[in-house]
Amino acid sequence: MNSSTEVPSFKLNSGTLMPAIGLGVANADNSPDSKITAAVLHAIEVGYSHFDTASIYGTECVLGDALFKAISMGVTSRQDLFITSKLWSDSHDPENVVSALQQTLTNLKLDYLDLYLIHSPMKLKKGTRQPAKAEDVLPSDIKGTWSAMETCFERGLAKSIGVSNFTVKELAQLLAHARVPPAVNQVEMHPLWQQKKLRKFCNGVGIHVTAWSPLGAPGTYYGTDALTNPVIKSISSKHNKSPAQVALRWSFQLGVTVIPKSFTFSRISENFNIFDWNLSPEDMINLCNIKQRPLSIREGLDIAQGLSFKTVDDCEDVDP
């Protein structure tokens, strides 16, 4: 039975309503398709309607199969779902954008996406996967790529279009020529990387922020120890909530959509239960004052691999 919890939504500048929480369907640990399918179906039963994937994740097909099964069973309907996917960096050439989205729609067994994002401002050679190398990086033409994204929007293939991993500088450059402004910027955000400067900019220009790795990506080689932070642990004890719930609730109260990734039933349910309680103003102040890590995940990996950020000085979005 679906959860009776009503999930709040944020209204995007496109007029579309985005549910405040979604299930991230990245597959960094190479889980079998059967596990992902079961997780998606469980999430729908819990009350999730928002699912986030990407071409590079390799999960579009399994997510599409799971959604098709749920719709066929009458558990949900296409109209009740919010599905996001992303244009990978090797398809930035304007002539490749529409066809990339059409392939994504085929994979997902859908006629349209609710949100389509440029996965990264970095353009890569055709066929480049992760991790990219410095020699795979090509000169970027975001103006041309974004124009093709606008074509996707105008043709109804995506109800909203946006970007991911864009800095303030990159957003400002895009907005200077965009006919359709990006509805969303999906970025790393959690209590140890709060994106204060970027969120202030996005709020000022009407771009909604979505947080990937809103729990700090624990258990990954690039993740943080956010959930063991003493401030978060203290507040979780005070409210009798898990550290993950505190981190997610904090983002939500800042007006940010969260897309935690988990294929574990108990965690999927736990992460969803953040809407019937509140963090106090004091809690929010204490969380917002947590010491920040030196670099974002994107910045750290880019510098290590010699990609778009060569040095720390290139990372202009570090919070003061």
Side-chain angles (χ1 to χ4, degrees):
M1 180 178 293
N2 286 357
S3 168
S4 59
T5 300
E6 183 175 348
V7 179
S9 294
F10 294 109
K11 189 171 184 178
L12 306 181
N13 61 25
S14 60
T16 299
L17 293 176
M18 169 187 265
I21 189 169
L23 183 71
V25 195
N27 190 19
D29 55 359
N30 295 314
S31 294
D33 286 359
S34 58
K35 183 175 181 179
I36 299 172
T37 298
V40 171
L41 293 175
H42 175 71
I44 292 172
E45 288 293 323
V46 167
Y48 288 78
S49 60
H50 177 183
F51 295 89
D52 181 278
T53 185
S55 173
I56 194 64
Y57 296 166
T59 57
E60 288 180 336
C61 289
V62 64
L63 175 59
D65 289 342
L67 296 177
F68 181 81
K69 183 174 183 179
I71 292 170
S72 298
M73 294 167 57
V75 177
T76 188
S77 67
R78 176 63 185 97
Q79 293 74 25
D80 291 331
L81 294 169
F82 188 101
I83 309 301
T84 300
S85 195
K86 308 176 191 78
L87 175 77
W88 181 233
S89 297
D90 73 340
S91 297
H92 276 205
D93 285 335
E95 62 269 24
N96 293 333
V97 174
V98 172
S99 59
L101 174 51
Q102 289 172 328
Q103 182 59 58
T104 281
L105 292 173
T106 297
N107 293 344
L108 287 165
K109 296 182 171 62
L110 299 176
D111 296 325
Y112 66 90
L113 288 181
D114 297 278
L115 178 63
Y116 194 45
L117 306 176
I118 297 177
H119 203 145
S120 165
M122 188 188 310
K123 181 179 180 179
L124 299 174
K125 293 177 182 177
K126 197 68 178 174
T128 302
R129 313 304 285 173
Q130 291 179 316
K133 300 176 182 177
E135 57 265 29
D136 297 322
V137 180
L138 298 174
S140 182
D141 175 26
I142 288 298
K143 182 177 181 179
T145 305
W146 187 252
S147 178
M149 293 286 287
E150 291 172 326
T151 298
C152 295
F153 173 76
E154 290 158 353
R155 290 176 56 177
L157 299 174
K159 301 296 184 183
S160 299
I161 53 176
V163 296
S164 182
N165 301 306
F166 273 52
T167 64
V168 168
K169 180 179 178 180
E170 289 159 344
L171 286 172
Q173 291 171 340
L174 188 158
L175 286 168
H177 57 72
R179 291 181 291 108
V180 179
V184 167
N185 187 20
Q186 185 185 119
V187 295
E188 177 196 0
M189 182 188 150
H190 47 78
L192 268 61
W193 189 254
Q194 298 187 10
Q195 296 280 15
K196 293 177 183 178
K197 179 179 178 181
L198 180 65
R199 283 191 287 115
K200 182 178 179 180
F201 177 85
C202 287
N203 289 340
V205 296
I207 297 174
H208 182 67
V209 174
T210 294
W212 60 258
S213 291
L215 304 178
T220 66
Y221 70 92
Y222 53 79
T224 73
D225 57 355
L227 299 186
T228 63
N229 180 274
V231 175
I232 296 176
K233 291 181 70 176
S234 174
I235 293 172
S236 71
S237 296
K238 169 185 169 183
H239 291 279
N240 195 26
K241 302 294 181 181
S242 71
Q245 288 172 319
V246 169
L248 296 173
R249 179 71 200 187
W250 169 80
S251 289
F252 169 68
Q253 287 188 209
L254 290 173
V256 172
T257 294
V258 291
I259 46 170
K261 179 264 172 182
S262 181
F263 299 148
T264 302
F265 283 18
S266 60
R267 290 176 182 166
I268 290 171
S269 299
E270 176 185 288
N271 292 341
F272 186 77
N273 291 320
I274 61 170
F275 300 115
D276 59 352
W277 58 281
N278 291 284
L279 293 168
S280 71
E282 180 184 10
D283 294 334
M284 293 296 291
I285 290 171
N286 290 335
L287 288 164
C288 288
N289 285 336
I290 288 176
K291 183 179 179 180
Q292 299 296 280
R293 64 187 294 183
L295 294 169
S296 72
I297 291 172
R298 176 195 169 191
E299 290 163 348
L301 292 177
D302 276 11
I303 290 172
Q305 297 168 5
L307 301 176
S308 58
F309 296 122
K310 308 294 191 221
T311 69
V312 174
D313 290 339
D314 295 329
C315 308
E316 86 284 354
D317 277 4
V318 174
D319 290 334

